[in-house]
Amino acid sequence: EELARLDEAISGCRKCPRLVAWREEVAATKRAAFRDQEYWGRPVPGFGAADARILILGLAPAAHGGNRTGRIFTGDRSGDVLFAALHRVGLANQPTSVWRDDGLRLDDVRIAASVRCAPPENKPTPVERDTCAPWLHREVALIRPTLRVVLALGAFAWAAWWPTLSTVYGIKPPVPRPAFGHGALVLPQGGPPDPVRGPALLGSYHVSQQNTFTGRLTPAMLDGVLSQAKNLAGL
Ligand code: DU
Ligand code: SF4
Protein backbone atom coordinates (compact mmCIF):
# COMPACT_ATOMS: atom_id res chain seq x y z
CA GLU A 1 0.00 0.00 0.00
CA GLU A 2 1.27 3.45 -0.90
CA LEU A 3 0.71 4.98 2.52
CA ALA A 4 2.75 2.20 4.10
CA ARG A 5 5.59 2.93 1.68
CA LEU A 6 5.38 6.62 2.51
CA ASP A 7 5.47 5.85 6.24
CA GLU A 8 8.57 3.76 5.64
CA ALA A 9 10.26 6.56 3.68
CA ILE A 10 9.42 9.16 6.33
CA SER A 11 10.84 6.93 9.06
CA GLY A 12 14.28 7.09 7.45
CA CYS A 13 14.45 10.84 6.91
CA ARG A 14 17.49 12.75 8.19
CA LYS A 15 17.01 16.14 6.57
CA CYS A 16 17.10 18.29 9.72
CA PRO A 17 20.44 17.99 11.53
CA ARG A 18 19.24 19.60 14.76
CA LEU A 19 16.21 17.32 15.01
CA VAL A 20 18.09 14.17 14.04
CA ALA A 21 20.55 14.89 16.85
CA TRP A 22 17.80 15.61 19.36
CA ARG A 23 15.54 12.65 18.58
CA GLU A 24 18.52 10.30 18.82
CA GLU A 25 19.93 11.84 21.97
CA VAL A 26 16.56 11.54 23.72
CA ALA A 27 16.27 7.95 22.52
CA ALA A 28 19.70 7.12 23.88
CA THR A 29 19.36 8.80 27.26
CA LYS A 30 15.64 8.03 27.86
CA ARG A 31 13.43 9.03 30.75
CA ALA A 32 14.01 6.93 33.86
CA ALA A 33 10.46 5.54 33.85
CA PHE A 34 11.02 4.14 30.35
CA ARG A 35 14.62 2.98 30.69
CA ASP A 36 13.74 -0.65 29.84
CA GLN A 37 12.05 0.34 26.58
CA GLU A 38 13.65 0.72 23.21
CA TYR A 39 12.85 4.22 21.99
CA TRP A 40 11.80 4.71 18.38
CA GLY A 41 14.13 7.72 17.97
CA ARG A 42 13.15 8.34 14.34
CA PRO A 43 10.64 10.44 12.41
CA VAL A 44 7.08 9.53 13.35
CA PRO A 45 4.77 8.81 10.39
CA GLY A 46 1.06 9.47 10.24
CA PHE A 47 -1.40 7.04 11.79
CA GLY A 48 -4.97 6.03 11.11
CA ALA A 49 -7.30 5.31 8.25
CA ALA A 50 -6.04 5.26 4.66
CA ASP A 51 -9.47 6.53 3.60
CA ALA A 52 -9.57 9.31 6.17
CA ARG A 53 -12.16 12.06 5.80
CA ILE A 54 -10.57 14.02 8.64
CA LEU A 55 -6.87 14.81 8.99
CA ILE A 56 -5.80 15.92 12.44
CA LEU A 57 -2.63 17.95 12.11
CA GLY A 58 -0.46 18.33 15.19
CA LEU A 59 2.78 20.12 15.91
CA ALA A 60 5.54 17.52 16.34
CA PRO A 61 6.09 14.24 18.22
CA ALA A 62 6.75 14.44 21.96
CA ALA A 63 10.28 13.47 22.98
CA HIS A 64 9.06 10.69 25.30
CA GLY A 65 5.75 10.13 23.49
CA GLY A 66 5.78 9.53 19.76
CA ASN A 67 9.57 9.62 19.70
CA ARG A 68 9.50 6.72 22.17
CA THR A 69 6.59 4.65 20.86
CA GLY A 70 6.87 5.36 17.14
CA ARG A 71 3.20 6.28 16.83
CA ILE A 72 2.05 9.87 16.80
CA PHE A 73 0.48 11.15 20.09
CA THR A 74 1.00 7.69 21.56
CA GLY A 75 2.34 7.42 25.10
CA ASP A 76 2.11 11.07 26.09
CA ARG A 77 -0.30 13.36 27.92
CA SER A 78 -1.44 15.19 24.80
CA GLY A 79 -2.39 11.87 23.25
CA ASP A 80 -4.27 10.81 26.40
CA VAL A 81 -6.51 13.84 25.93
CA LEU A 82 -6.86 13.50 22.16
CA PHE A 83 -7.63 9.78 21.96
CA ALA A 84 -10.08 9.89 24.86
CA ALA A 85 -11.96 12.61 22.95
CA LEU A 86 -11.80 10.71 19.64
CA HIS A 87 -13.28 7.73 21.43
CA ARG A 88 -16.05 9.81 23.01
CA VAL A 89 -17.17 11.13 19.62
CA GLY A 90 -16.96 7.70 17.99
CA LEU A 91 -13.83 8.12 15.87
CA ALA A 92 -11.56 5.71 17.79
CA ASN A 93 -12.24 2.15 18.92
CA GLN A 94 -10.62 2.68 22.35
CA PRO A 95 -9.92 5.67 24.59
CA THR A 96 -6.23 5.02 25.19
CA SER A 97 -3.10 4.91 23.07
CA VAL A 98 -0.10 3.47 24.84
CA TRP A 99 2.00 1.52 22.34
CA ARG A 100 2.25 0.72 18.62
CA ASP A 101 0.41 -2.61 18.77
CA ASP A 102 -2.25 -1.83 21.38
CA GLY A 103 -5.15 -2.44 18.99
CA LEU A 104 -6.08 1.20 18.48
CA ARG A 105 -7.99 1.91 15.29
CA LEU A 106 -9.22 5.23 14.04
CA ASP A 107 -12.27 5.40 11.81
CA ASP A 108 -12.26 8.05 9.08
CA VAL A 109 -9.38 9.86 10.77
CA ARG A 110 -5.68 10.13 10.13
CA ILE A 111 -3.32 11.96 12.46
CA ALA A 112 -0.03 13.50 11.36
CA ALA A 113 2.50 15.97 12.71
CA SER A 114 3.54 19.11 10.85
CA VAL A 115 7.13 18.29 11.80
CA ARG A 116 7.82 14.58 12.11
CA CYS A 117 10.77 14.59 14.49
CA ALA A 118 10.71 15.52 18.16
CA PRO A 119 12.12 19.04 18.59
CA PRO A 120 13.87 20.49 21.64
CA GLU A 121 11.28 22.21 23.88
CA ASN A 122 8.53 21.15 21.45
CA LYS A 123 9.57 24.08 19.27
CA PRO A 124 10.48 23.37 15.66
CA THR A 125 11.88 26.28 13.64
CA PRO A 126 10.15 27.67 10.55
CA VAL A 127 12.96 26.20 8.45
CA GLU A 128 12.32 22.75 9.94
CA ARG A 129 8.60 23.16 9.28
CA ASP A 130 9.29 23.98 5.63
CA THR A 131 11.84 21.17 5.31
CA CYS A 132 9.31 18.63 6.59
CA ALA A 133 6.38 19.97 4.55
CA PRO A 134 6.93 17.68 1.50
CA TRP A 135 6.10 14.65 3.67
CA LEU A 136 2.76 16.23 4.56
CA HIS A 137 2.15 17.06 0.92
CA ARG A 138 2.72 13.44 -0.09
CA GLU A 139 0.49 12.16 2.68
CA VAL A 140 -2.33 14.56 1.80
CA ALA A 141 -1.98 13.67 -1.89
CA LEU A 142 -2.61 10.02 -0.96
CA ILE A 143 -5.71 10.67 1.16
CA ARG A 144 -7.04 13.42 -1.13
CA PRO A 145 -9.88 11.28 -2.57
CA THR A 146 -11.58 11.03 0.83
CA LEU A 147 -10.21 14.04 2.73
CA ARG A 148 -12.84 16.65 3.65
CA VAL A 149 -11.62 18.34 6.82
CA VAL A 150 -8.25 19.31 8.25
CA LEU A 151 -8.33 19.91 11.98
CA ALA A 152 -5.29 22.00 12.90
CA LEU A 153 -4.23 21.61 16.51
CA GLY A 154 -2.67 24.96 17.32
CA ALA A 155 -1.37 27.92 15.36
CA PHE A 156 1.75 26.13 14.13
CA ALA A 157 -0.25 23.41 12.36
CA TRP A 158 -2.68 26.05 11.07
CA ALA A 159 0.27 27.88 9.45
CA ALA A 160 1.77 24.62 8.20
CA TRP A 161 -1.41 23.79 6.29
CA TRP A 162 -1.38 26.63 3.73
CA PRO A 163 1.52 25.45 1.53
CA THR A 164 -0.26 22.09 1.27
CA LEU A 165 -3.25 23.79 -0.27
CA SER A 166 -1.17 25.29 -3.08
CA THR A 167 1.19 22.34 -3.56
CA VAL A 168 -1.35 19.52 -3.51
CA TYR A 169 -4.55 21.23 -4.69
CA GLY A 170 -3.10 24.06 -6.76
CA ILE A 171 -5.24 26.54 -4.81
CA LYS A 172 -3.84 29.89 -3.73
CA PRO A 173 -4.37 30.38 0.01
CA PRO A 174 -6.41 33.45 1.00
CA VAL A 175 -4.50 36.70 1.52
CA PRO A 176 -4.23 37.69 4.27
CA ARG A 177 -4.31 34.22 5.86
CA PRO A 178 -7.37 33.73 8.08
CA ALA A 179 -6.42 33.96 11.74
CA PHE A 180 -6.10 30.83 13.86
CA GLY A 181 -8.47 30.39 16.77
CA HIS A 182 -10.38 27.68 18.56
CA GLY A 183 -13.30 26.97 16.24
CA ALA A 184 -11.88 29.11 13.42
CA LEU A 185 -13.17 27.71 10.14
CA VAL A 186 -12.12 28.27 6.54
CA LEU A 187 -14.39 26.71 3.93
CA PRO A 188 -13.34 26.11 0.35
CA GLN A 189 -14.48 28.60 -2.28
CA GLY A 190 -17.42 27.72 -4.45
CA GLY A 191 -18.99 24.79 -2.65
CA PRO A 192 -18.57 22.07 -0.06
CA PRO A 193 -15.20 20.39 0.56
CA ASP A 194 -14.24 17.89 -2.12
CA PRO A 195 -11.04 16.53 -3.72
CA VAL A 196 -10.89 19.47 -6.16
CA ARG A 197 -11.92 22.42 -3.96
CA GLY A 198 -9.95 21.02 -1.06
CA PRO A 199 -10.88 20.33 2.54
CA ALA A 200 -12.33 22.67 5.14
CA LEU A 201 -9.77 23.93 7.63
CA LEU A 202 -10.87 23.94 11.24
CA GLY A 203 -8.81 25.20 14.18
CA SER A 204 -8.57 23.84 17.71
CA TYR A 205 -6.39 24.82 20.59
CA HIS A 206 -3.65 22.22 20.89
CA VAL A 207 -4.22 19.31 23.28
CA SER A 208 -0.99 20.05 25.18
CA GLN A 209 -0.94 19.98 28.97
CA GLN A 210 -0.28 23.69 28.89
CA ASN A 211 -3.80 24.14 27.50
CA THR A 212 -5.66 21.27 29.15
CA PHE A 213 -4.28 21.70 32.70
CA THR A 214 -5.09 25.41 32.65
CA GLY A 215 -8.61 24.90 31.33
CA ARG A 216 -7.91 26.89 28.16
CA LEU A 217 -8.99 23.74 26.31
CA THR A 218 -11.68 21.73 28.11
CA PRO A 219 -12.93 18.25 27.14
CA ALA A 220 -16.23 19.85 26.10
CA MET A 221 -14.42 22.29 23.79
CA LEU A 222 -12.49 19.43 22.21
CA ASP A 223 -15.60 17.31 21.76
CA GLY A 224 -17.20 20.37 20.19
CA VAL A 225 -14.60 20.83 17.44
CA LEU A 226 -14.39 17.08 16.79
CA SER A 227 -18.15 16.94 16.36
CA GLN A 228 -17.97 19.94 14.05
CA ALA A 229 -15.23 18.18 12.06
CA LYS A 230 -17.46 15.11 11.76
CA ASN A 231 -20.35 17.22 10.50
CA LEU A 232 -18.19 19.04 7.95
CA ALA A 233 -16.83 15.67 6.80
CA GLY A 234 -20.36 14.34 6.29
CA LEU A 235 -20.02 11.79 9.09
O1 DU B 1 -3.00 -3.13 8.44
P1 DU B 1 -4.03 -2.04 8.32
O2 DU B 1 -5.43 -2.46 8.61
O3 DU B 1 -3.89 -1.25 7.04
O4 DU B 1 -3.68 -0.99 9.48
C1 DU B 1 -2.49 -0.31 9.55
C2 DU B 1 -2.51 0.56 10.78
O5 DU B 1 -3.43 1.64 10.62
C3 DU B 1 -2.94 -0.20 12.00
O6 DU B 1 -2.02 0.07 13.03
C4 DU B 1 -4.31 0.31 12.34
C5 DU B 1 -4.41 1.60 11.62
N1 DU B 1 -5.72 1.79 10.99
C6 DU B 1 -6.62 2.62 11.58
O7 DU B 1 -6.34 3.18 12.62
N2 DU B 1 -7.81 2.83 10.99
C7 DU B 1 -8.16 2.23 9.83
O8 DU B 1 -9.29 2.46 9.35
C8 DU B 1 -7.23 1.36 9.23
C9 DU B 1 -6.03 1.17 9.82
FE1 SF4 C 1 12.94 14.68 8.00
FE2 SF4 C 1 10.79 15.99 8.88
FE3 SF4 C 1 12.43 14.80 10.60
FE4 SF4 C 1 13.23 16.98 9.30
S1 SF4 C 1 11.54 16.85 10.80
S2 SF4 C 1 14.41 15.08 9.62
S3 SF4 C 1 12.23 16.69 7.31
S4 SF4 C 1 11.14 13.80 9.05
Side-chain angles (χ1 to χ4, degrees):
E1 187 204 345
E2 281 196 87
L3 265 175
R5 277 204 299 277
L6 176 64
D7 295 349
E8 189 70 29
I10 289 171
S11 301
C13 182
R14 305 183 64 85
K15 282 193 278 192
C16 306
R18 187 183 80 116
L19 300 186
V20 170
W22 180 250
R23 78 195 193 201
E24 291 176 359
E25 183 191 324
V26 170
T29 52
K30 305 184 182 181
R31 180 176 280 169
F34 305 128
R35 66 173 177 274
D36 297 332
Q37 298 180 8
E38 188 175 341
Y39 273 53
W40 175 253
R42 280 174 271 167
V44 182
F47 170 72
D51 59 350
R53 299 178 70 83
I54 300 170
L55 173 66
I56 299 180
L57 192 55
L59 170 56
H64 301 278
N67 188 58
R68 172 174 58 92
T69 62
R71 197 172 69 188
I72 193 66
F73 279 115
T74 296
D76 60 62
R77 295 276 175 80
S78 295
D80 291 347
V81 170
L82 178 60
F83 290 110
L86 286 169
H87 183 251
R88 285 196 299 272
V89 301
L91 293 170
N93 69 333
Q94 59 185 47
T96 57
S97 179
V98 295
W99 193 246
R100 287 201 293 285
D101 54 2
D102 60 3
L104 176 65
R105 289 186 66 85
L106 305 178
D107 292 319
D108 305 300
V109 172
R110 193 158 170 97
I111 307 180
S114 307
V115 170
R116 313 251 172 177
C117 294
E121 292 169 39
N122 296 317
K123 272 206 174 74
T125 66
V127 168
E128 288 160 351
R129 180 193 64 205
D130 295 344
T131 304
C132 206
W135 294 126
L136 177 64
H137 301 163
R138 286 177 60 179
E139 187 157 6
V140 169
L142 289 177
I143 61 174
R144 179 177 181 171
T146 52
L147 183 64
R148 298 293 180 271
V149 181
V150 174
L151 179 63
L153 298 180
F156 189 94
W158 180 268
W161 168 253
W162 301 115
T164 321
L165 196 57
S166 44
T167 305
V168 180
Y169 292 88
I171 295 170
K172 268 173 69 180
V175 180
R177 305 275 185 271
F180 168 77
H182 188 80
L185 173 63
V186 184
L187 293 168
Q189 294 286 306
D194 74 9
V196 176
R197 283 188 287 263
L201 176 65
L202 180 61
S204 171
Y205 291 150
H206 193 277
V207 289
S208 67
Q209 285 185 80
Q210 209 177 312
N211 288 333
T212 55
F213 278 23
T214 57
R216 185 162 189 256
L217 177 66
T218 64
M221 287 166 70
L222 190 51
D223 292 2
V225 285
L226 288 174
S227 300
Q228 194 182 353
K230 280 182 71 172
N231 283 332
L232 289 161
L235 295 168

